Amino acid sequence: SQSVICEGSSVTLNAGGAVNYTWAPVAAATATLSDIPSSSTTYTVTGDDGLCTATATVNVSVTPNPTVSLTASSLSVCAASTVTLTAGGATSYTWSSSANTSYTEIVSPITNTGYTVTGENNGCFGSNSIAITITSSPTLTVNSNSIICAGSSATLTAGGASTYSWMPTGGTTDTEIVTPLSSAIYTVTGWNGNCSSAATVAIDVNPLPTVSATASQTLLCDDGSTGSSILTAVSTA
């Protein structure tokens, strides 16, 4: 007779019609034999009733389990970023993360997470697993909002990231010196790998006061002396 099993599975063989039994290639002297063959095997049982003997054979065909491959579009991502998992080596798939049966699975982990896919081929199964690591976004620090006079400069300082990008200035360091013509808001984006955070700093610009100055006309006295001139300054701020 013929039996087909998957690699790693057990087979149970039963003999009958005799009193005593001997199995080969697995040595056993019972009517029932259980074995886990590593490859296709022909089992022979010899039975006797005390006088006569007879033999029978059973062919057990071992089908290899599928070797399932599993890759990810990225193994380290920012929290909630999309990752595409791709499996191969089987005809159908089951994912630990959903009821999806496609060879691809799209996930958005928020913490370090492991994923397992099981592939089936001709009734035999294989599996593979992969781990996705979350890279933390930077916690940005920036100096507080400030007030300057028109024509003055302000120093913007950020911290907590590896690289920086300032807008609208285009600066790429943690410190940016600006001289805005009017009140403005500056945004800095900080990066740790592929993960980013943003923060803003407001600079209020106070206009300079408009100062005017006038002088009274110099008076010439009859005796030829000169009277005092009067200077008046007026601030219109």
Side-chain angles (χ1 to χ4, degrees):
S1 62
Q2 177 78 28
S3 179
V4 179
I5 63 172
C6 296
E7 179 184 1
S9 298
S10 64
V11 62
T12 299
L13 308 176
N14 295 296
V19 176
N20 304 303
Y21 303 94
T22 303
W23 290 90
V26 177
T30 60
T32 300
L33 171 68
S34 292
D35 190 30
I36 303 176
S38 58
S39 59
S40 297
T41 302
T42 297
Y43 295 87
T44 300
V45 61
T46 300
D48 71 77
D49 59 4
L51 293 175
C52 302
T53 62
T55 61
T57 59
V58 178
N59 296 317
V60 177
S61 179
V62 177
T63 301
N65 294 320
T67 300
V68 178
S69 62
L70 180 58
T71 60
S73 56
S74 179
L75 294 175
S76 180
V77 297
C78 308
S81 295
T82 298
V83 179
T84 300
L85 307 177
T86 303
T91 56
S92 63
Y93 302 91
T94 303
W95 295 90
S96 62
S97 48
S98 73
N100 176 31
T101 57
S102 171
Y103 70 96
T104 59
E105 171 82 330
I106 298 176
V107 295
S108 299
I110 58 175
T111 60
N112 296 343
T113 305
Y115 298 92
T116 299
V117 62
T118 299
E120 183 269 336
N121 192 17
N122 295 323
C124 297
F125 299 86
S127 63
N128 204 341
S129 298
I130 202 167
I132 306 300
T133 302
I134 299 301
T135 300
S136 300
S137 297
T139 301
L140 279 183
T141 59
V142 292
N143 56 308
S144 58
N145 302 336
S146 60
I147 301 174
I148 62 173
C149 297
S152 298
S153 296
T155 299
L156 310 178
T157 303
S162 300
T163 59
Y164 303 90
S165 175
W166 292 90
M167 292 295 292
T169 61
T172 57
T173 63
D174 59 348
T175 301
E176 187 80 346
I177 298 175
V178 295
T179 308
L181 299 177
S182 59
S183 297
I185 295 178
Y186 297 89
T187 300
V188 60
T189 302
W191 299 83
N192 277 343
N194 294 325
C195 305
S196 64
S197 297
T200 59
V201 179
I203 304 298
D204 290 328
V205 177
N206 278 352
L208 297 176
T210 301
V211 178
S212 63
T214 61
S216 61
Q217 185 176 2
T218 301
L219 301 178
L220 182 62
C221 300
D222 290 341
D223 60 3
S225 62
T226 302
S228 300
S229 60
I230 302 173
L231 177 65
T232 304
V234 178
S235 171
T236 61

